[in-house]
Amino acid sequence: MVWWIDNFESSYCRQKFCYYEESMDSSKDRIFQTTSIMYNLDDGCYDAHDIKILTKSGVNIFNVDRIIYGEDVFQKHKAAIIASEKLHEMYPERHHRPIGLAVIMTITELIDIDNRVDLIILKDVESLEGLLEFKKHYRNKKTAPIVPWIKTKNTIELNQIIKFSDGIVVDDSNTVEENCCKINLCKQYFKPVFYIIEGLIQGYRASPADERKIFAVANKIVKNDLDGVLLLDNYKEVREDVQTGVVKSLVLAIDVVEKTSNKDKHSYKLTLQLKIPMLPPKSVALAACLAAKQSGASAIIVFTSSGSSARLVASGAPPCHILAITTRKETARRLHLYRKVIPLFYNQSNSLNWHQERWKRIQFCTTVALQIGICHYEANIVILAPSSEEVGYCNSLQIISMPLKCEELTF
């Protein structure tokens, strides 16, 4: 769900929570996000360089509204995103940075879904029957996770929709109590929650009022443990440096609020909502979060094939970031949907047995963790991995101290 962004100086903004503030410590050149930023693409001309700039600013997922724009606009933006991943740079990244692609659809109008789509935001969902009928239409295709933009206020119907979906979307059209009810129900099922923000970029003038607005949004995101935010704006009259500046300011504000928040409060709140007994995958994921808290771990390493193990750990209110290693590119992109997850794509050759392969992947993760600076030497790391290749979930838990082994990797 998250990655890092590189710091550079600019004279654009000098506000307290602005990413460009001159007084910022120059030694801190990376921010490890906890919440994914989704950027809505309009019918403007975005090339590979524009996508790369937005990605380096903190955008993890790009969204195209298929209710407004047709197939030609979608294919144009899809080509730009794919081209940005292959863009040659003076200082290329050694680690693959996955870029997600989402679409907004309405349940009343069915369209063909591209295989590159990583998330479907489904509007006008009012009943479980309508959601199941939508899924039935695409039952023969491998579709992306479906996140309903729910309009119903019926608690029973809402509970059923969340149970059979992959998360929910909330906005400010509902009251605070209604949104809290949706978020609490979603957290009980270990599902991600996304927040729609409209008008944050348009009209931004770097004034104290805009600064407070960004900080208020960041406080709402951290307080409710939201997994991602979608910025919906009209960018045609907004300069590119303003767009990237607002994204970076939001990332910095979230980072500031996150560091000052009470992490124990989130864990305690989650334990009150747990229903016992629970399935083994959930139990092990929560045990990993508790082990990370008690040992003061700098990160949690989790093996995942479909992303489910990383989702369960992310829902357990971990005190640190999660390094989710996967051998599938589509899974790496969809890991952006979950809070505090850093996706790592692993494409090295397999070892002869699972024991060797397991430690080879752990070595890969620890090396990356040291290289990007998320961990330091002698730091504790929690490992969550399958005990054998035949096991369908992560059933083994281990705590190691850094470094296990650190070598120069080639990608």
Side-chain angles (χ1 to χ4, degrees):
M1 178 277 309
V2 292
W3 205 248
W4 58 83
I5 58 180
D6 296 322
N7 182 22
F8 61 93
E9 292 186 359
S10 171
S11 59
Y12 169 65
C13 181
R14 293 289 179 263
Q15 298 301 323
K16 181 178 180 181
F17 292 100
C18 181
Y19 191 83
Y20 302 122
E21 185 184 8
E22 288 180 333
S23 60
M24 179 185 290
D25 184 8
S26 59
S27 63
K28 180 182 178 182
D29 61 348
R30 286 175 178 173
I31 291 180
F32 297 92
Q33 297 169 245
T34 57
T35 303
S36 181
I37 305 295
M38 289 190 284
Y39 186 89
N40 189 57
L41 297 174
D42 52 24
D43 57 348
C45 296
Y46 294 91
D47 57 16
H49 294 277
D50 297 327
I51 299 297
K52 178 64 70 174
I53 291 173
L54 288 168
T55 302
K56 285 183 172 293
S57 300
V59 177
N60 311 110
I61 304 173
F62 292 92
N63 176 73
V64 179
D65 194 336
R66 292 302 309 274
I67 302 176
I68 302 175
Y69 306 113
E71 183 70 17
D72 54 339
V73 175
F74 171 79
Q75 292 296 334
K76 180 181 65 175
H77 294 323
K78 171 188 169 184
I81 293 173
I82 295 176
S84 69
E85 295 179 323
K86 304 176 182 178
L87 198 63
H88 294 283
E89 297 181 282
M90 182 178 296
Y91 302 101
E93 299 166 352
R94 292 184 296 175
H95 314 292
H96 174 70
R97 180 184 296 195
I99 303 176
L101 178 60
V103 294
I104 295 179
M105 297 174 53
T106 177
I107 199 171
T108 59
E109 183 179 350
L110 302 177
I111 59 176
D112 292 333
I113 300 177
D114 194 281
N115 293 329
R116 181 58 176 78
V117 173
D118 304 305
L119 176 66
I120 299 174
I121 299 176
L122 193 60
K123 297 186 69 175
D124 304 321
V125 178
E126 298 181 354
S127 64
L128 175 62
E129 183 180 355
L131 177 62
L132 295 179
E133 190 67 27
F134 179 86
K135 287 188 172 184
K136 182 179 178 181
H137 180 78
Y138 298 101
R139 65 181 181 274
N140 296 327
K141 297 182 180 180
K142 188 178 180 181
T143 59
I146 300 175
V147 178
W149 195 335
I150 304 176
K151 297 297 182 183
T152 180
K153 298 181 180 179
N154 188 320
T155 306
I156 299 177
E157 194 72 35
L158 179 64
N159 185 71
Q160 293 298 319
I161 292 175
I162 293 176
K163 185 177 181 180
F164 286 91
S165 65
D166 299 297
I168 61 168
V169 171
V170 297
D171 56 19
D172 291 328
S173 62
N174 297 319
T175 63
V176 176
E177 291 76 12
E178 291 172 347
N179 282 337
C180 288
C181 178
K182 293 179 181 180
I183 294 172
N184 291 334
L185 285 174
C186 207
K187 294 299 181 181
Q188 290 179 14
Y189 289 106
F190 293 78
K191 303 290 181 68
V193 182
F194 302 91
Y195 177 44
I196 302 292
I197 306 176
E198 298 186 29
L200 186 64
I201 296 178
Q202 187 179 14
Y204 184 82
R205 297 294 182 270
S207 64
D210 292 329
E211 173 191 332
R212 290 192 296 269
K213 183 178 180 181
I214 288 181
F215 186 73
V217 170
N219 187 64
K220 184 182 296 185
I221 292 170
V222 175
K223 180 181 178 181
N224 295 288
D225 290 328
L226 301 180
D227 297 84
V229 294
L230 173 57
L231 303 177
L232 289 180
D233 277 278
N234 182 10
Y235 309 120
K236 293 183 178 180
E237 298 180 359
V238 181
R239 300 197 318 268
E240 182 179 334
D241 61 336
V242 177
Q243 300 177 32
T244 56
V246 173
V247 173
K248 291 179 180 181
S249 299
L250 179 60
V251 171
L252 177 60
I254 294 174
D255 183 64
V256 171
V257 177
E258 191 76 38
K259 291 180 178 179
T260 57
S261 63
N262 188 353
K263 297 181 177 60
D264 294 338
K265 180 180 179 181
H266 298 300
S267 302
Y268 178 73
K269 181 180 178 182
L270 176 67
T271 56
L272 295 178
Q273 299 174 348
L274 294 178
K275 296 180 179 180
I276 300 176
M278 64 177 61
L279 296 175
K282 294 183 179 180
S283 302
V284 178
L286 293 176
C289 297
L290 181 60
K293 177 184 175 182
Q294 296 297 329
S295 64
S298 299
I300 300 174
I301 295 176
V302 56
F303 289 32
T304 184
S305 178
S306 63
S308 297
S309 297
R311 174 177 62 85
L312 294 176
V313 178
S315 301
C320 55
H321 282 82
I322 304 164
L323 300 176
I325 181 171
T326 180
T327 57
R328 300 178 180 179
K329 277 192 174 182
E330 61 272 15
T331 300
R333 296 193 304 265
R334 294 173 185 179
L335 286 172
H336 284 305
L337 305 179
Y338 311 123
R339 179 176 170 82
K340 289 189 177 182
V341 176
I342 296 179
L344 298 179
F345 174 62
Y346 181 82
N347 60 349
Q348 299 183 12
S349 58
N350 294 332
S351 301
L352 296 177
N353 59 71
W354 176 248
H355 179 75
Q356 294 179 352
E357 178 66 19
R358 180 175 180 270
W359 286 107
K360 187 178 178 182
R361 296 188 186 186
I362 293 175
Q363 174 196 339
F364 175 87
C365 291
T366 54
T367 303
V368 172
L370 286 172
Q371 289 176 346
I372 66 178
I374 197 170
C375 298
H376 55 81
Y377 291 100
E378 299 182 354
N380 288 332
I381 301 290
V382 176
I383 310 293
L384 193 61
S387 58
S388 63
E389 201 168 2
E390 297 80 16
V391 180
Y393 68 98
C394 296
N395 64 339
S396 66
L397 182 64
Q398 185 179 6
I399 301 177
I400 64 172
S401 296
M402 294 283 283
L404 174 67
K405 189 177 181 182
C406 183
E407 296 178 351
E408 191 70 24
L409 300 181
T410 57
F411 294 84

